Amino acid sequence: ALEGPSAFAYSEDQIAPIKVLSEFAKEHPALVLKVGIVDGEKADQAKLAEYATLPSREQLLTMSETEYQKFSSGLIPGVSNMLGIRLPELRKLAKQIAKENWKDALEEEDEYFEEIMLRGMVISYAIKDIEEVLPYIAAFIPKVDNWSVCDSVFMGMKVLQKDRERTWEFIQDYLHSDKEFEVRVALIIMMQHL
């Protein structure tokens, strides 16, 4: 129940006010985030604390470099939604997310090239069980629409080496796909992990 003084915050970016208020509450312990609504679902204090640690689009925007964006755009034809964030920075962020609330991070909408790359890297770092990872990979593969995401994500997905037979079985449909990057994903997996 909301007892005592209460305030409400709203934003188009549902995570931003949670992050701002959580940060403010660190310095002002009288402020307590009690409940929220995210994507139409009630979020209790524990869930709000999880959301507060998610990387926001604004955080990614602060990591972007204009010159690197120009350079990278020239290497990856057809990608127009690039921020220009260096891969080591994305990997570092993905490893941090993988240690925390990675499932929530995977549910975020992807608008930028780097957000898609980040989701794939989180899958790679967070899940260590082959049967658990395969549905996440299957859901991720349709987002792969360029060589950079394909190669950068799937070359590092070492969990696929844990059961090579199961991985071989998993990639069969992708090897015979009529979609260029589904085939490329399967080939990268085959060359790197089998």
Side-chain angles (χ1 to χ4, degrees), residues 15 102 143 146 154 162 165 172 180 185 191:
I15 303 302
W102 59 270
K143 296 180 179 201
N146 62 76
F154 288 98
K162 289 187 174 184
E165 256 184 64
Q172 290 307 299
E180 173 186 359
V185 164
M191 291 187 314

Side-chain angles (χ1 to χ4, degrees), residues 109-123:
E109 289 295 318
D110 302 317
E111 181 178 335
Y112 293 104
F113 164 85
E114 287 86 351
E115 289 175 315
I116 296 167
M117 180 81 78
L118 183 64
R119 306 289 176 250
M121 289 177 174
V122 167
I123 293 167

